[in-house]
Amino acid sequence: MPTTVLVTGGAGFIGSHTCVELLENGYEVVVVDDHSNSSPVALERVAKTAGRPIAAAYRADLRDRGALDSVFAAHRIDSVIHFAAKKAVGESVGMPVAYYDVNVGGTTSLLSAMHAHGVRHLVFSSSCSVYGNADKVPLTEQDPPAPTNPYASTKWMCEQVLADTCRHLPELRVLALRYFNPVGAHPSGLLGEDPRGVPNNVMPYLAQVAVGRRERLSVFGDDYPTPDGTGIRDYIHVMDVAEGHRRALERLNDESGLRVLNLGTGVGSSVLELVSAFEQASGRPIPYEVTGRRAGDVAELVADPGAVKEAWNWAATRDLSAMCRDAWRFQELNPAGYGG
Ligand code: UDP
């Protein structure tokens, strides 16, 4: 029997790319997504890209335990990958309660349904933002979390809920992956990042400027203590992130309790370096203007990817130019995103 994986948020950016990776490697995939920030079209593209259908897709909010129970009752789920969450730093500062409700409430509801249905394997989407204002980079998993915004706080809280739940339910095996900044797209151009409304994250915003949907990028601050004054992040190709999830699933059997791992490249790039890499990849100029800092932002976040390398003998391989090239291909082929 093939392994069946429930992917929450499977129509989202990282979720959809991970679904392709799973389908291409023989897994059966069941998706739950409320489409609050994703399009059902992404799931059609997943099937087209992988050349295989997903087993089932449900439109549901994870806080709806009844809906979750029906999903677990209808499929013999072996493992869960939990992506579904609200994910924008800036937005979270303005609506903290909604972030706690969706991100923490969604996770506890899912854990409770997993427990009720005897499902023990979970890969959890965490974030490098839990580290907050780091004293030094690169960051290892031993560096203390110090979230600076509600989004990051929800991810850190979920990790704590998972750690404590694992202490009391020793049969649980959980890998929490702290992603740095996933960007890029599937190289086919069929799948990519298509947020609803104005993009909160820098890469989809850049791509929409390049394609003419938006006038210019606002660079949030050039007075950070970094070489060019703009924020530095560890951008990682979404295909590497997707591959990382498949590795994580394969490794869950060897785990006990909760293990936290960084998913990054170890290479930091500033906003201005990203703008320049995107100009090269797209062959288009990217107008930008420097505005004030964004609330909740930090100067620099770069991973030490050593722990994942040691645990899985695996590392991300795609560089910034591949990330920009693939993001641009998706945007150029789908100027209006999945709605076009
Ligand atoms: N950023 C920016 N303009 C934007 C969006 C983001 O200058 O329109 C900057 C942001 O301040 C940070 C980097 O780009 O330094 C990455 O931000 P993003 O929101 O993509 O990811 P985050 O690191 O917040 O998860």
Side-chain angles (χ1 to χ4, degrees):
M1 285 271 284
T3 301
T4 301
V5 185
L6 172 63
V7 183
T8 76
F13 174 46
I14 308 175
S16 57
H17 290 78
T18 301
C19 287
V20 170
E21 174 76 13
L22 297 179
L23 288 170
E24 286 178 343
N25 285 277
Y27 290 89
E28 292 294 328
V29 174
V30 175
V31 168
V32 172
D33 198 305
D34 69 356
H35 297 301
S36 54
N37 192 29
S38 69
S39 166
V41 175
L43 295 175
E44 295 166 18
R45 300 281 183 95
V46 163
K48 192 170 169 188
T49 309
R52 267 186 72 200
I54 55 175
Y58 298 90
R59 184 174 202 142
D61 185 316
L62 294 184
R63 293 165 296 174
D64 180 350
R65 259 304 301 278
L68 272 187
D69 276 334
S70 328
V71 174
F72 279 96
H75 304 272
R76 197 187 55 80
I77 304 291
D78 299 292
S79 309
V80 177
I81 304 183
H82 175 32
F83 293 108
K86 296 176 83 63
K87 61 158 190 174
V89 167
E91 181 187 66
S92 77
V93 173
M95 46 192 297
V97 180
Y99 269 68
Y100 289 109
D101 197 12
V102 172
N103 293 6
V104 183
T107 300
T108 54
S109 174
L110 177 66
L111 274 176
S112 134
M114 285 174 63
H115 186 57
H117 296 271
V119 179
R120 298 168 169 188
H121 287 190
L122 174 67
V123 181
F124 175 69
S125 274
S126 191
S127 164
C128 66
S129 63
V130 301
Y131 294 114
N133 270 308
D135 294 336
K136 55 140 192 76
V137 292
L139 290 148
T140 74
E141 292 80 353
Q142 278 69 51
D143 285 309
T148 59
N149 57 71
Y151 163 68
S153 294
T154 64
K155 290 294 175 181
W156 172 228
M157 263 178 208
C158 286
E159 284 192 15
Q160 291 172 284
V161 167
L162 290 167
D164 199 42
T165 306
C166 284
R167 272 192 286 276
H168 298 290
L169 302 175
E171 70 275 15
L172 261 184
R173 292 158 192 224
V174 184
L175 274 165
L177 304 181
R178 289 182 180 161
Y179 319 140
F180 279 65
N181 284 62
V183 297
H186 192 274
S188 65
L190 280 171
L191 277 179
E193 186 166 13
D194 181 30
R196 291 258 163 101
V198 181
N200 288 299
N201 298 108
V202 66
M203 186 67 116
Y205 203 106
L206 266 176
Q208 292 192 8
V209 172
V211 86
R213 266 171 77 179
R214 311 209 173 262
E215 206 175 328
R216 65 175 71 86
L217 175 75
S218 296
V219 174
F220 296 148
D222 66 352
D223 56 351
Y224 284 104
T226 61
D228 67 19
T230 65
I232 290 183
R233 295 290 182 274
D234 181 340
Y235 296 97
I236 177 169
H237 200 298
V238 67
M239 297 300 293
D240 280 323
V241 176
E243 210 177 290
H245 284 80
R246 179 171 60 79
R247 297 286 171 136
L249 277 185
E250 288 166 358
R251 294 300 172 130
L252 272 172
N253 265 328
D254 308 329
E255 297 291 335
S256 65
L258 169 72
R259 177 159 178 164
V260 174
L261 287 170
N262 285 340
L263 268 197
T265 64
V267 178
S269 307
S270 72
V271 178
L272 294 184
E273 284 169 341
L274 185 64
V275 168
S276 148
F278 204 92
E279 284 182 327
Q280 272 201 334
S282 64
R284 300 200 176 182
I286 310 283
Y288 69 85
E289 73 178 327
V290 177
T291 62
R293 292 184 180 190
R294 181 173 64 179
D297 261 356
V298 299
E300 189 166 9
L301 286 168
V302 178
D304 178 336
V308 90
K309 172 83 182 160
E310 186 168 332
W312 305 344
N313 190 27
W314 178 86
T317 56
R318 297 159 177 93
D319 65 8
L320 193 66
S321 68
M323 299 177 213
C324 291
R325 186 191 62 222
D326 292 335
W328 172 240
R329 186 180 298 114
F330 174 73
Q331 191 69 71
E332 200 177 19
L333 291 174
N334 306 269
Y338 293 125

